[in-house]
Amino acid sequence: MKTLALGLMSGTSMDGIDVAIVDMQDQRLVMGQTFAYPKELSEKLKVVMKGHPFDMCFFAELNREVGQAFAKAAKTLVQELNEPIQVIGSHGQTLCHQVHQELPFTWQIGCPYTIYE
C-alpha cells in the first residue's frame, strides 16, 4: 500500500504555491505543480513583505487567505490523482527570512487548519 504525502510551500520569491505529492514507501515524486497566487492575495503579500506595519487582525486574516489558496492548489492536484493522502505538510508562505542576524528567525503564514479543512 502506498503512503502518499502532500507537501506545500512558497518562498520569499512568491513565484507560486508549490504542491508535491510523494510516495513515502518508494521515496519518489508522484506529482508536482506550481500554482499562481490569486492576484489580490499576491499584492497583499508584496505590501507586507515591504515591511509596512499592520495590526494583528490583518495578519490573522491574511494567514487564513494564504491557507485557502494553499488548500485550493492542493485540492486541484489531489483530484488529478484520485488516491487518498495520508500526510499533509505545509511550510507556508515565507514573509520574513533573516537567518544572518544575531538572533536568526524566519516567519511563515498559511493556516494549517484551513488547509486541513
Side-chain angles (χ1 to χ4, degrees):
M1 179 179 166
K2 289 183 185 178
T3 301
L4 297 179
L6 175 85
L8 300 151
M9 75 165 294
S10 181
T12 53
S13 67
M14 290 191 312
D15 55 355
I17 301 165
D18 298 320
V19 183
I21 298 174
V22 178
D23 182 338
M24 300 303 287
Q25 307 282 176
D26 295 339
Q27 296 183 356
R28 68 177 180 84
L29 177 66
V30 175
M31 303 177 85
Q33 190 171 340
T34 300
F35 296 86
Y37 267 112
K39 185 167 178 53
E40 186 178 311
L41 179 55
S42 178
E43 293 303 317
K44 277 186 187 179
L45 288 166
K46 287 176 185 173
V47 169
V48 167
M49 292 176 72
K50 289 180 181 174
H52 298 288
F54 297 95
D55 64 28
M56 290 308 295
C57 289
F58 174 85
F59 280 113
E61 185 176 288
L62 187 61
N63 187 46
R64 287 277 293 177
E65 286 182 59
V66 170
Q68 288 174 329
F70 274 44
K72 183 177 179 182
K75 188 174 182 178
T76 300
L77 197 61
V78 168
Q79 286 175 339
E80 291 180 31
L81 182 64
N82 202 24
E83 292 185 54
I85 299 293
Q86 284 80 28
V87 177
I88 300 173
S90 178
H91 176 272
Q93 168 60 57
T94 302
L95 290 182
C96 192
H97 191 68
Q98 301 292 328
V99 296
H100 299 294
Q101 302 223 357
E102 185 177 328
L103 184 60
F105 65 92
T106 186
W107 183 24
Q108 290 78 25
I109 62 171
C111 179
Y113 183 73
T114 301
I115 296 167
Y116 168 77
E117 285 180 318

PDB file of all heavy atoms in Angstrom, residues 10-12 14 44-46 48-51 58-59 62-63 66 91-98 105-110:
ATOM      1  N   SER A  10       5.734  28.049  -0.321  1.00  0.00           N
ATOM      2  CA  SER A  10       6.047  29.156  -1.200  1.00  0.00           C
ATOM      3  C   SER A  10       7.104  29.984  -0.484  1.00  0.00           C
ATOM      4  O   SER A  10       6.960  30.310   0.681  1.00  0.00           O
ATOM      5  CB  SER A  10       4.811  30.005  -1.485  1.00  0.00           C
ATOM      6  OG  SER A  10       5.146  31.051  -2.364  1.00  0.00           O
ATOM      7  N   GLY A  11       8.151  30.305  -1.187  1.00  0.00           N
ATOM      8  CA  GLY A  11       9.247  31.058  -0.577  1.00  0.00           C
ATOM      9  C   GLY A  11       9.078  32.554  -0.739  1.00  0.00           C
ATOM     10  O   GLY A  11       8.053  33.042  -1.217  1.00  0.00           O
ATOM     11  N   THR A  12      10.114  33.298  -0.370  1.00  0.00           N
ATOM     12  CA  THR A  12      10.046  34.754  -0.414  1.00  0.00           C
ATOM     13  C   THR A  12       9.906  35.294  -1.829  1.00  0.00           C
ATOM     14  O   THR A  12       9.450  36.415  -2.015  1.00  0.00           O
ATOM     15  CB  THR A  12      11.293  35.383   0.251  1.00  0.00           C
ATOM     16  OG1 THR A  12      12.460  34.821  -0.348  1.00  0.00           O
ATOM     17  CG2 THR A  12      11.299  35.150   1.747  1.00  0.00           C
ATOM     18  N   MET A  14       7.764  34.318  -3.929  1.00  0.00           N
ATOM     19  CA  MET A  14       6.323  34.271  -4.193  1.00  0.00           C
ATOM     20  C   MET A  14       6.027  33.983  -5.660  1.00  0.00           C
ATOM     21  O   MET A  14       5.102  34.539  -6.244  1.00  0.00           O
ATOM     22  CB  MET A  14       5.632  35.560  -3.755  1.00  0.00           C
ATOM     23  CG  MET A  14       5.593  35.720  -2.273  1.00  0.00           C
ATOM     24  SD  MET A  14       4.514  37.053  -1.723  1.00  0.00           S
ATOM     25  CE  MET A  14       4.972  38.407  -2.749  1.00  0.00           C
ATOM     26  N   LYS A  44      -1.295  41.776  -1.678  1.00  0.00           N
ATOM     27  CA  LYS A  44      -1.274  41.945  -0.212  1.00  0.00           C
ATOM     28  C   LYS A  44       0.053  41.446   0.363  1.00  0.00           C
ATOM     29  O   LYS A  44       0.655  42.092   1.218  1.00  0.00           O
ATOM     30  CB  LYS A  44      -2.410  41.162   0.443  1.00  0.00           C
ATOM     31  CG  LYS A  44      -3.719  41.835   0.469  1.00  0.00           C
ATOM     32  CD  LYS A  44      -4.692  40.985   1.293  1.00  0.00           C
ATOM     33  CE  LYS A  44      -6.086  41.498   1.234  1.00  0.00           C
ATOM     34  NZ  LYS A  44      -7.023  40.666   2.003  1.00  0.00           N
ATOM     35  N   LEU A  45       0.481  40.289  -0.096  1.00  0.00           N
ATOM     36  CA  LEU A  45       1.728  39.713   0.421  1.00  0.00           C
ATOM     37  C   LEU A  45       2.930  40.584   0.067  1.00  0.00           C
ATOM     38  O   LEU A  45       3.832  40.772   0.889  1.00  0.00           O
ATOM     39  CB  LEU A  45       1.918  38.298  -0.121  1.00  0.00           C
ATOM     40  CG  LEU A  45       0.974  37.252   0.465  1.00  0.00           C
ATOM     41  CD1 LEU A  45       1.010  35.969  -0.363  1.00  0.00           C
ATOM     42  CD2 LEU A  45       1.316  36.966   1.915  1.00  0.00           C
ATOM     43  N   LYS A  46       2.945  41.143  -1.122  1.00  0.00           N
ATOM     44  CA  LYS A  46       4.052  42.014  -1.533  1.00  0.00           C
ATOM     45  C   LYS A  46       4.121  43.259  -0.658  1.00  0.00           C
ATOM     46  O   LYS A  46       5.210  43.704  -0.281  1.00  0.00           O
ATOM     47  CB  LYS A  46       3.913  42.392  -3.003  1.00  0.00           C
ATOM     48  CG  LYS A  46       4.233  41.253  -3.936  1.00  0.00           C
ATOM     49  CD  LYS A  46       3.996  41.633  -5.382  1.00  0.00           C
ATOM     50  CE  LYS A  46       4.203  40.407  -6.278  1.00  0.00           C
ATOM     51  NZ  LYS A  46       3.821  40.694  -7.673  1.00  0.00           N
ATOM     52  N   VAL A  48       3.063  43.490   2.461  1.00  0.00           N
ATOM     53  CA  VAL A  48       3.532  43.041   3.776  1.00  0.00           C
ATOM     54  C   VAL A  48       5.049  42.854   3.761  1.00  0.00           C
ATOM     55  O   VAL A  48       5.747  43.269   4.691  1.00  0.00           O
ATOM     56  CB  VAL A  48       2.840  41.716   4.185  1.00  0.00           C
ATOM     57  CG1 VAL A  48       3.535  41.081   5.369  1.00  0.00           C
ATOM     58  CG2 VAL A  48       1.380  41.968   4.496  1.00  0.00           C
ATOM     59  N   MET A  49       5.559  42.260   2.704  1.00  0.00           N
ATOM     60  CA  MET A  49       6.992  41.962   2.656  1.00  0.00           C
ATOM     61  C   MET A  49       7.854  43.214   2.507  1.00  0.00           C
ATOM     62  O   MET A  49       9.060  43.160   2.709  1.00  0.00           O
ATOM     63  CB  MET A  49       7.273  40.943   1.559  1.00  0.00           C
ATOM     64  CG  MET A  49       6.677  39.588   1.944  1.00  0.00           C
ATOM     65  SD  MET A  49       6.845  38.339   0.697  1.00  0.00           S
ATOM     66  CE  MET A  49       8.598  38.007   0.797  1.00  0.00           C
ATOM     67  N   LYS A  50       7.236  44.351   2.201  1.00  0.00           N
ATOM     68  CA  LYS A  50       7.972  45.615   2.152  1.00  0.00           C
ATOM     69  C   LYS A  50       8.192  46.187   3.550  1.00  0.00           C
ATOM     70  O   LYS A  50       8.885  47.182   3.706  1.00  0.00           O
ATOM     71  CB  LYS A  50       7.237  46.620   1.271  1.00  0.00           C
ATOM     72  CG  LYS A  50       7.305  46.271  -0.197  1.00  0.00           C
ATOM     73  CD  LYS A  50       6.569  47.279  -1.035  1.00  0.00           C
ATOM     74  CE  LYS A  50       6.641  46.853  -2.504  1.00  0.00           C
ATOM     75  NZ  LYS A  50       5.816  47.724  -3.358  1.00  0.00           N
ATOM     76  N   GLY A  51       7.555  45.563   4.565  1.00  0.00           N
ATOM     77  CA  GLY A  51       7.806  45.972   5.938  1.00  0.00           C
ATOM     78  C   GLY A  51       6.849  46.992   6.512  1.00  0.00           C
ATOM     79  O   GLY A  51       7.115  47.550   7.574  1.00  0.00           O
ATOM     80  N   PHE A  58      -5.210  41.973  10.701  1.00  0.00           N
ATOM     81  CA  PHE A  58      -4.823  41.889   9.293  1.00  0.00           C
ATOM     82  C   PHE A  58      -4.019  40.617   9.046  1.00  0.00           C
ATOM     83  O   PHE A  58      -4.267  39.886   8.092  1.00  0.00           O
ATOM     84  CB  PHE A  58      -4.014  43.123   8.879  1.00  0.00           C
ATOM     85  CG  PHE A  58      -3.468  43.026   7.482  1.00  0.00           C
ATOM     86  CD1 PHE A  58      -4.249  43.395   6.396  1.00  0.00           C
ATOM     87  CD2 PHE A  58      -2.181  42.551   7.251  1.00  0.00           C
ATOM     88  CE1 PHE A  58      -3.755  43.297   5.103  1.00  0.00           C
ATOM     89  CE2 PHE A  58      -1.683  42.447   5.956  1.00  0.00           C
ATOM     90  CZ  PHE A  58      -2.469  42.824   4.886  1.00  0.00           C
ATOM     91  N   PHE A  59      -3.025  40.339   9.911  1.00  0.00           N
ATOM     92  CA  PHE A  59      -2.191  39.149   9.738  1.00  0.00           C
ATOM     93  C   PHE A  59      -2.983  37.861   9.947  1.00  0.00           C
ATOM     94  O   PHE A  59      -2.759  36.871   9.262  1.00  0.00           O
ATOM     95  CB  PHE A  59      -0.972  39.182  10.662  1.00  0.00           C
ATOM     96  CG  PHE A  59       0.124  40.054  10.134  1.00  0.00           C
ATOM     97  CD1 PHE A  59       0.462  41.222  10.788  1.00  0.00           C
ATOM     98  CD2 PHE A  59       0.806  39.717   8.973  1.00  0.00           C
ATOM     99  CE1 PHE A  59       1.460  42.042  10.297  1.00  0.00           C
ATOM    100  CE2 PHE A  59       1.810  40.531   8.474  1.00  0.00           C
ATOM    101  CZ  PHE A  59       2.135  41.692   9.131  1.00  0.00           C
ATOM    102  N   LEU A  62      -4.937  37.388   6.783  1.00  0.00           N
ATOM    103  CA  LEU A  62      -4.007  37.014   5.711  1.00  0.00           C
ATOM    104  C   LEU A  62      -3.561  35.558   5.866  1.00  0.00           C
ATOM    105  O   LEU A  62      -3.441  34.823   4.882  1.00  0.00           O
ATOM    106  CB  LEU A  62      -2.799  37.959   5.726  1.00  0.00           C
ATOM    107  CG  LEU A  62      -1.819  37.818   4.575  1.00  0.00           C
ATOM    108  CD1 LEU A  62      -2.496  38.094   3.228  1.00  0.00           C
ATOM    109  CD2 LEU A  62      -0.644  38.770   4.779  1.00  0.00           C
ATOM    110  N   ASN A  63      -3.352  35.127   7.104  1.00  0.00           N
ATOM    111  CA  ASN A  63      -2.993  33.741   7.392  1.00  0.00           C
ATOM    112  C   ASN A  63      -4.058  32.780   6.849  1.00  0.00           C
ATOM    113  O   ASN A  63      -3.746  31.767   6.229  1.00  0.00           O
ATOM    114  CB  ASN A  63      -2.813  33.572   8.904  1.00  0.00           C
ATOM    115  CG  ASN A  63      -2.290  32.225   9.293  1.00  0.00           C
ATOM    116  OD1 ASN A  63      -1.345  31.707   8.711  1.00  0.00           O
ATOM    117  ND2 ASN A  63      -2.899  31.646  10.313  1.00  0.00           N
ATOM    118  N   VAL A  66      -4.061  32.836   2.885  1.00  0.00           N
ATOM    119  CA  VAL A  66      -2.972  32.024   2.341  1.00  0.00           C
ATOM    120  C   VAL A  66      -3.318  30.545   2.510  1.00  0.00           C
ATOM    121  O   VAL A  66      -3.109  29.748   1.589  1.00  0.00           O
ATOM    122  CB  VAL A  66      -1.617  32.375   3.004  1.00  0.00           C
ATOM    123  CG1 VAL A  66      -0.539  31.373   2.612  1.00  0.00           C
ATOM    124  CG2 VAL A  66      -1.198  33.790   2.626  1.00  0.00           C
ATOM    125  N   HIS A  91       4.930  24.182   4.617  1.00  0.00           N
ATOM    126  CA  HIS A  91       5.935  25.131   5.077  1.00  0.00           C
ATOM    127  C   HIS A  91       5.331  26.520   5.157  1.00  0.00           C
ATOM    128  O   HIS A  91       5.729  27.335   5.962  1.00  0.00           O
ATOM    129  CB  HIS A  91       7.118  25.119   4.103  1.00  0.00           C
ATOM    130  CG  HIS A  91       8.163  26.126   4.414  1.00  0.00           C
ATOM    131  ND1 HIS A  91       8.117  27.416   3.917  1.00  0.00           N
ATOM    132  CD2 HIS A  91       9.271  26.055   5.171  1.00  0.00           C
ATOM    133  CE1 HIS A  91       9.174  28.085   4.355  1.00  0.00           C
ATOM    134  NE2 HIS A  91       9.878  27.284   5.117  1.00  0.00           N
ATOM    135  N   GLY A  92       4.340  26.787   4.319  1.00  0.00           N
ATOM    136  CA  GLY A  92       3.672  28.080   4.322  1.00  0.00           C
ATOM    137  C   GLY A  92       4.330  29.076   3.390  1.00  0.00           C
ATOM    138  O   GLY A  92       5.226  28.748   2.621  1.00  0.00           O
ATOM    139  N   GLN A  93       3.851  30.292   3.464  1.00  0.00           N
ATOM    140  CA  GLN A  93       4.409  31.410   2.692  1.00  0.00           C
ATOM    141  C   GLN A  93       5.383  32.156   3.586  1.00  0.00           C
ATOM    142  O   GLN A  93       5.014  32.649   4.642  1.00  0.00           O
ATOM    143  CB  GLN A  93       3.304  32.364   2.233  1.00  0.00           C
ATOM    144  CG  GLN A  93       3.800  33.686   1.680  1.00  0.00           C
ATOM    145  CD  GLN A  93       4.693  33.520   0.477  1.00  0.00           C
ATOM    146  OE1 GLN A  93       4.291  32.919  -0.511  1.00  0.00           O
ATOM    147  NE2 GLN A  93       5.909  34.033   0.535  1.00  0.00           N
ATOM    148  N   THR A  94       6.628  32.224   3.167  1.00  0.00           N
ATOM    149  CA  THR A  94       7.637  32.955   3.933  1.00  0.00           C
ATOM    150  C   THR A  94       7.381  34.448   3.810  1.00  0.00           C
ATOM    151  O   THR A  94       7.297  34.984   2.714  1.00  0.00           O
ATOM    152  CB  THR A  94       9.053  32.615   3.426  1.00  0.00           C
ATOM    153  OG1 THR A  94       9.258  31.216   3.535  1.00  0.00           O
ATOM    154  CG2 THR A  94      10.110  33.366   4.222  1.00  0.00           C
ATOM    155  N   LEU A  95       7.242  35.112   4.960  1.00  0.00           N
ATOM    156  CA  LEU A  95       7.091  36.564   4.988  1.00  0.00           C
ATOM    157  C   LEU A  95       8.418  37.249   5.269  1.00  0.00           C
ATOM    158  O   LEU A  95       8.700  38.313   4.755  1.00  0.00           O
ATOM    159  CB  LEU A  95       6.093  36.995   6.070  1.00  0.00           C
ATOM    160  CG  LEU A  95       4.636  36.676   5.841  1.00  0.00           C
ATOM    161  CD1 LEU A  95       3.798  37.225   6.984  1.00  0.00           C
ATOM    162  CD2 LEU A  95       4.136  37.206   4.515  1.00  0.00           C
ATOM    163  N   CYS A  96       9.202  36.624   6.110  1.00  0.00           N
ATOM    164  CA  CYS A  96      10.441  37.244   6.544  1.00  0.00           C
ATOM    165  C   CYS A  96      11.451  36.143   6.867  1.00  0.00           C
ATOM    166  O   CYS A  96      11.125  35.204   7.586  1.00  0.00           O
ATOM    167  CB  CYS A  96      10.159  38.092   7.780  1.00  0.00           C
ATOM    168  SG  CYS A  96      11.503  39.165   8.231  1.00  0.00           S
ATOM    169  N   HIS A  97      12.642  36.277   6.319  1.00  0.00           N
ATOM    170  CA  HIS A  97      13.669  35.250   6.493  1.00  0.00           C
ATOM    171  C   HIS A  97      14.988  35.962   6.797  1.00  0.00           C
ATOM    172  O   HIS A  97      15.644  36.483   5.902  1.00  0.00           O
ATOM    173  CB  HIS A  97      13.761  34.436   5.202  1.00  0.00           C
ATOM    174  CG  HIS A  97      14.568  33.203   5.313  1.00  0.00           C
ATOM    175  ND1 HIS A  97      14.181  32.122   6.075  1.00  0.00           N
ATOM    176  CD2 HIS A  97      15.746  32.857   4.742  1.00  0.00           C
ATOM    177  CE1 HIS A  97      15.079  31.166   5.965  1.00  0.00           C
ATOM    178  NE2 HIS A  97      16.038  31.588   5.175  1.00  0.00           N
ATOM    179  N   GLN A  98      15.349  36.029   8.062  1.00  0.00           N
ATOM    180  CA  GLN A  98      16.554  36.746   8.495  1.00  0.00           C
ATOM    181  C   GLN A  98      17.462  35.791   9.264  1.00  0.00           C
ATOM    182  O   GLN A  98      17.485  35.778  10.484  1.00  0.00           O
ATOM    183  CB  GLN A  98      16.159  37.946   9.378  1.00  0.00           C
ATOM    184  CG  GLN A  98      15.265  38.942   8.692  1.00  0.00           C
ATOM    185  CD  GLN A  98      15.970  39.676   7.569  1.00  0.00           C
ATOM    186  OE1 GLN A  98      17.169  39.919   7.604  1.00  0.00           O
ATOM    187  NE2 GLN A  98      15.223  40.037   6.544  1.00  0.00           N
ATOM    188  N   PHE A 105      15.874  34.305  12.556  1.00  0.00           N
ATOM    189  CA  PHE A 105      14.465  33.928  12.569  1.00  0.00           C
ATOM    190  C   PHE A 105      13.939  33.797  11.147  1.00  0.00           C
ATOM    191  O   PHE A 105      14.533  34.277  10.192  1.00  0.00           O
ATOM    192  CB  PHE A 105      13.620  34.937  13.345  1.00  0.00           C
ATOM    193  CG  PHE A 105      13.580  36.306  12.715  1.00  0.00           C
ATOM    194  CD1 PHE A 105      12.571  36.633  11.823  1.00  0.00           C
ATOM    195  CD2 PHE A 105      14.535  37.253  13.022  1.00  0.00           C
ATOM    196  CE1 PHE A 105      12.530  37.892  11.235  1.00  0.00           C
ATOM    197  CE2 PHE A 105      14.498  38.513  12.455  1.00  0.00           C
ATOM    198  CZ  PHE A 105      13.491  38.839  11.547  1.00  0.00           C
ATOM    199  N   THR A 106      12.813  33.120  11.044  1.00  0.00           N
ATOM    200  CA  THR A 106      12.048  33.046   9.813  1.00  0.00           C
ATOM    201  C   THR A 106      10.580  33.002  10.217  1.00  0.00           C
ATOM    202  O   THR A 106      10.246  32.524  11.299  1.00  0.00           O
ATOM    203  CB  THR A 106      12.460  31.812   8.974  1.00  0.00           C
ATOM    204  OG1 THR A 106      11.786  31.854   7.718  1.00  0.00           O
ATOM    205  CG2 THR A 106      12.193  30.516   9.675  1.00  0.00           C
ATOM    206  N   TRP A 107       9.717  33.558   9.366  1.00  0.00           N
ATOM    207  CA  TRP A 107       8.302  33.630   9.700  1.00  0.00           C
ATOM    208  C   TRP A 107       7.488  33.256   8.475  1.00  0.00           C
ATOM    209  O   TRP A 107       7.651  33.851   7.410  1.00  0.00           O
ATOM    210  CB  TRP A 107       7.952  35.028  10.178  1.00  0.00           C
ATOM    211  CG  TRP A 107       6.529  35.216  10.625  1.00  0.00           C
ATOM    212  CD1 TRP A 107       5.664  34.270  11.082  1.00  0.00           C
ATOM    213  CD2 TRP A 107       5.814  36.448  10.664  1.00  0.00           C
ATOM    214  NE1 TRP A 107       4.460  34.823  11.412  1.00  0.00           N
ATOM    215  CE2 TRP A 107       4.525  36.168  11.160  1.00  0.00           C
ATOM    216  CE3 TRP A 107       6.136  37.753  10.334  1.00  0.00           C
ATOM    217  CZ2 TRP A 107       3.564  37.149  11.324  1.00  0.00           C
ATOM    218  CZ3 TRP A 107       5.181  38.728  10.504  1.00  0.00           C
ATOM    219  CH2 TRP A 107       3.906  38.428  11.005  1.00  0.00           C
ATOM    220  N   GLN A 108       6.627  32.251   8.636  1.00  0.00           N
ATOM    221  CA  GLN A 108       5.756  31.802   7.567  1.00  0.00           C
ATOM    222  C   GLN A 108       4.298  31.870   8.022  1.00  0.00           C
ATOM    223  O   GLN A 108       4.009  31.729   9.206  1.00  0.00           O
ATOM    224  CB  GLN A 108       6.055  30.346   7.165  1.00  0.00           C
ATOM    225  CG  GLN A 108       7.366  30.153   6.459  1.00  0.00           C
ATOM    226  CD  GLN A 108       8.563  30.166   7.391  1.00  0.00           C
ATOM    227  OE1 GLN A 108       8.464  29.873   8.572  1.00  0.00           O
ATOM    228  NE2 GLN A 108       9.701  30.542   6.855  1.00  0.00           N
ATOM    229  N   ILE A 109       3.402  32.068   7.055  1.00  0.00           N
ATOM    230  CA  ILE A 109       1.976  32.021   7.338  1.00  0.00           C
ATOM    231  C   ILE A 109       1.307  31.062   6.359  1.00  0.00           C
ATOM    232  O   ILE A 109       1.895  30.684   5.350  1.00  0.00           O
ATOM    233  CB  ILE A 109       1.303  33.415   7.277  1.00  0.00           C
ATOM    234  CG1 ILE A 109       1.411  34.013   5.881  1.00  0.00           C
ATOM    235  CG2 ILE A 109       1.880  34.333   8.325  1.00  0.00           C
ATOM    236  CD1 ILE A 109       0.574  35.270   5.708  1.00  0.00           C
ATOM    237  N   GLY A 110       0.075  30.708   6.670  1.00  0.00           N
ATOM    238  CA  GLY A 110      -0.709  29.771   5.856  1.00  0.00           C
ATOM    239  C   GLY A 110      -1.400  28.817   6.811  1.00  0.00           C
ATOM    240  O   GLY A 110      -0.863  27.756   7.127  1.00  0.00           O
TER     241      GLY A 110
END
